[in-house]
Amino acid sequence: MPAAVALLRGINVGGRAKLPMADLRRMAQTCGFEEVRTYIQSGNMVFVTAETEMGKVAELLQRQIAEETGMHGEVAVRTRDELDRCIADNPFLQRGVDAAHCHVVFLLAGVEKEAGAAFAKLDLPSYAPDEAELAGREVYMHMPNGLGRSKLAADLGRARGLAGTARNWRTVTKLAGMLGELD
């Protein structure tokens, strides 16, 4: 059975969309997921599932959350192999950039077709020193002055065709480690 990570968008951010992680774990178990573990209070969860189509996994979890809480949040799901590839492919770490300034936006299912065109519309040099690169279903970001003050991060969050959920590099690597523990 595949191990996967679910990354919920907009959960427990800024005092809204409150979803206790114990409730999220229970909802995931209701969906039939096993070995469910969460990491910090912002909608990060690793689990094992019999379902091999991760789009269906995301839909199932989204529907369960909506039914139980009324929240219609979105979920990005990646398999262990996909998360490992995400880590290996980080273009900024390959250049030797400090990982503490790296973030990843995990694009939601269905936006991949629009992502390239939406990303191409951004005038990336105007955001310097912030940088971003689109690679597959992820947008890698290097934010030397922090994510919270970044105009690039804000514009990426509003860009049509780039809907996703961002995580800092420490969270990404922690989730990969948690996936590794599911063997």
Side-chain angles (χ1 to χ4, degrees):
M1 293 197 312
V5 60
L7 305 148
L8 282 66
R9 182 178 187 194
I11 297 297
N12 297 340
V13 177
R16 57 183 172 78
K18 294 277 186 184
L19 179 59
M21 295 299 96
D23 292 350
L24 178 60
R25 288 190 298 273
R26 182 187 44 72
M27 289 179 221
Q29 291 165 340
T30 300
C31 292
F33 306 159
E34 299 176 11
E35 299 187 54
V36 179
R37 299 178 192 163
T38 55
Y39 175 66
I40 64 176
Q41 285 294 119
S42 60
N44 303 297
M45 180 176 66
V46 298
F47 56 95
V48 174
T49 178
E51 177 59 61
T52 58
E53 173 54 49
M54 293 303 118
K56 290 180 182 177
V57 170
E59 289 173 14
L60 183 62
L61 187 57
Q62 285 172 188
R63 188 170 43 249
Q64 190 67 36
I65 292 169
E67 285 177 11
E68 290 196 34
T69 68
M71 289 188 282
H72 296 279
E74 297 166 299
V75 180
V77 177
R78 300 294 188 268
T79 64
R80 178 192 338 240
D81 289 344
E82 289 171 328
L83 192 61
D84 287 346
R85 192 169 29 256
C86 169
I87 291 169
D89 290 349
N90 185 323
F92 300 113
L93 293 183
Q94 292 171 6
R95 287 190 353 222
V97 166
D98 182 356
H101 300 292
C102 290
H103 298 78
V104 179
V105 176
F106 294 91
L107 298 177
L108 301 171
V111 302
E112 296 95 346
K113 295 174 186 168
E114 302 172 11
F119 193 78
K121 290 179 183 176
L122 295 170
D123 178 18
L124 292 175
S126 72
Y127 295 102
D130 293 347
E131 304 173 89
E133 287 192 30
L134 173 66
R137 298 187 306 152
E138 281 77 43
V139 177
Y140 295 92
M141 300 183 299
H142 172 234
M143 308 289 168
N145 297 318
L147 184 71
R149 294 184 224 156
S150 171
K151 184 166 174 20
L152 175 58
D155 288 352
L156 281 169
R158 289 188 292 267
R160 184 177 184 94
L162 291 172
T165 184
R167 297 295 185 275
N168 65 45
W169 198 250
R170 181 179 55 222
T171 296
V172 172
T173 57
K174 175 65 176 178
L175 291 168
M178 290 173 67
L179 281 171
E181 294 170 1
L182 294 180
D183 290 331

